[in-house]
Amino acid sequence: MPTYNERQNLESVTGRVRAALPEADLLVVDDNSPDGTGDIADKLAETDPHIQVMHRTEKAGLGKAYMAGFAWALQRGYDVVVEMDADGSHLPEHLPVLVGALAHADLSIGSRWMPGGRVVNWPKSREVLSRGANVYTRLMLGLGVHDATAGFRAYRASTLRTISLDQVQSAGYCFQIDLTNRVAEAGLTITEVPITFVEREHGISKMSNNIIMEAFWRVAQWGVAKRLRRLRSRRG
């Protein structure tokens, strides 16, 4: 669970995570939040051995935070690794179903845009942006996934070891598309489960124009590269 300025949300969300999956361990990856989120995380960890905290020295992007968390989990031999936001938009109550779906898959995605999924209190502009980004991604990459940009997902540890994480360069929300594409190209199984996504009550979104443009250009590059590979294979 990456955090940056989430002091108003962290204690509530961590409590719900612990209730939803009591046997799971929770790693909070804090990017030196100026609002003291890291201190709150440390206090939670002091009273609960299932909570760990990783303090990073700078805000280096969502993808970098997740990569650090993945490495931490893989080094410690966990079988399943879950990623989720700390702002309350990803409901911890969905965790048992999300993790349970890995019984028949290598990656389980909590999907807003599949039948049964929905968003609550999102401005129409954000919904249009998210839906449009996913349509664009499906068209460019040929992914049979409704919500490739989703940040609420569970991986088998073996999946993360297979997809060459050391080669991932995406820093923003494009990171989610990048990993989805890598899992698909590795021939692994992706499943989606419908979730309810709730707009945060406290704090501000980390979305920016730079993040949107990174995703647009990287997906275009991956799509063109994929088509060129297909053309070469046909000619060969």
Side-chain angles (χ1 to χ4, degrees), residues 99-107 156 189-191:
V99 172
L102 290 179
H104 305 288
D106 301 294
L107 164 61
R156 288 179 180 266
T189 302
I190 302 173
T191 190

Side-chain angles (χ1 to χ4, degrees), residues 109-128:
I109 297 176
S111 176
R112 297 159 293 185
W113 308 126
M114 71 179 297
R118 66 190 187 106
V119 297
V120 177
N121 296 331
W122 239 20
K124 200 66 180 178
S125 59
R126 283 293 301 276
E127 180 176 344
V128 169

Side-chain angles (χ1 to χ4, degrees), residues 21-41:
L21 287 179
E23 300 303 314
D25 292 331
L26 171 62
L27 174 67
V28 177
V29 182
D30 186 66
D31 276 5
N32 198 26
S33 298
D35 73 343
T37 299
D39 294 333
I40 293 174

Side-chain angles (χ1 to χ4, degrees), residues 68-91:
F70 290 162
W72 183 94
L74 293 175
Q75 288 167 4
R76 287 159 178 78
Y78 289 95
D79 296 318
V80 171
V81 184
V82 177
E83 61 170 81
M84 65 182 294
D85 290 347
D87 60 10
S89 57
H90 296 152
L91 303 184

Side-chain angles (χ1 to χ4, degrees), residues 16-17 19-22 91-102 108 152 193:
R16 291 164 60 194
V17 169
L21 287 179
L91 303 184
E93 293 74 21
H94 289 309
L95 282 168
V97 174
L98 190 69
V99 172
L102 290 179
S108 171
F152 193 18
V193 297

Side-chain angles (χ1 to χ4, degrees), residues 4-235:
Y4 186 79
N5 288 350
E6 297 290 356
R7 63 173 297 135
Q8 294 176 290
N9 300 306
L10 185 61
E11 187 169 1
S12 170
V13 172
T14 55
R16 291 164 60 194
V17 169
R18 295 288 295 112
L21 287 179
E23 300 303 314
D25 292 331
L26 171 62
L27 174 67
V28 177
V29 182
D30 186 66
D31 276 5
N32 198 26
S33 298
D35 73 343
T37 299
D39 294 333
I40 293 174
D42 285 335
K43 290 176 182 176
L44 294 170
E46 288 174 3
T47 60
D48 188 340
H50 284 275
I51 298 177
Q52 305 287 327
V53 185
M54 177 189 294
H55 293 279
R56 285 155 42 86
T57 57
E58 62 179 350
K59 188 175 185 292
L62 189 66
K64 300 285 188 183
Y66 276 131
M67 291 287 283
F70 290 162
W72 183 94
L74 293 175
Q75 288 167 4
R76 287 159 178 78
Y78 289 95
D79 296 318
V80 171
V81 184
V82 177
E83 61 170 81
M84 65 182 294
D85 290 347
D87 60 10
S89 57
H90 296 152
L91 303 184
E93 293 74 21
H94 289 309
L95 282 168
V97 174
L98 190 69
V99 172
L102 290 179
H104 305 288
D106 301 294
L107 164 61
S108 171
I109 297 176
S111 176
R112 297 159 293 185
W113 308 126
M114 71 179 297
R118 66 190 187 106
V119 297
V120 177
N121 296 331
W122 239 20
K124 200 66 180 178
S125 59
R126 283 293 301 276
E127 180 176 344
V128 169
L129 175 63
S130 181
R131 285 185 180 273
N134 278 286
V135 170
Y136 173 68
T137 297
R138 284 199 299 274
L139 291 173
M140 291 300 295
L141 302 181
L143 296 175
V145 175
H146 295 87
D147 200 350
T149 62
F152 193 18
R153 48 178 68 193
Y155 293 89
R156 288 179 180 266
S158 58
T159 302
L160 294 175
R161 292 191 176 97
T162 298
I163 60 175
S164 303
L165 288 176
D166 58 323
Q167 298 176 16
V168 175
Q169 297 180 339
S170 309
Y173 287 83
C174 182
F175 175 80
Q176 312 297 1
I177 303 172
D178 193 346
L179 265 62
T180 305
N181 190 46
R182 287 170 181 270
V183 173
E185 291 198 328
L188 301 176
T189 302
I190 302 173
T191 190
E192 294 181 272
V193 297
I195 63 163
T196 297
F197 180 97
V198 181
E199 174 68 337
R200 63 163 64 234
E201 292 183 11
H202 306 289
I204 59 173
S205 171
K206 312 302 190 297
M207 183 65 73
S208 70
N209 288 334
N210 287 339
I211 289 171
I212 295 169
M213 290 308 299
E214 181 203 16
F216 178 85
W217 286 114
R218 285 193 183 274
V219 169
Q221 290 169 349
W222 296 331
V224 169
K226 185 174 288 193
R227 284 165 173 77
L228 288 175
R229 286 197 302 270
R230 288 173 182 166
L231 283 173
R232 293 192 192 104
S233 64
R234 289 171 185 169
R235 290 171 181 171

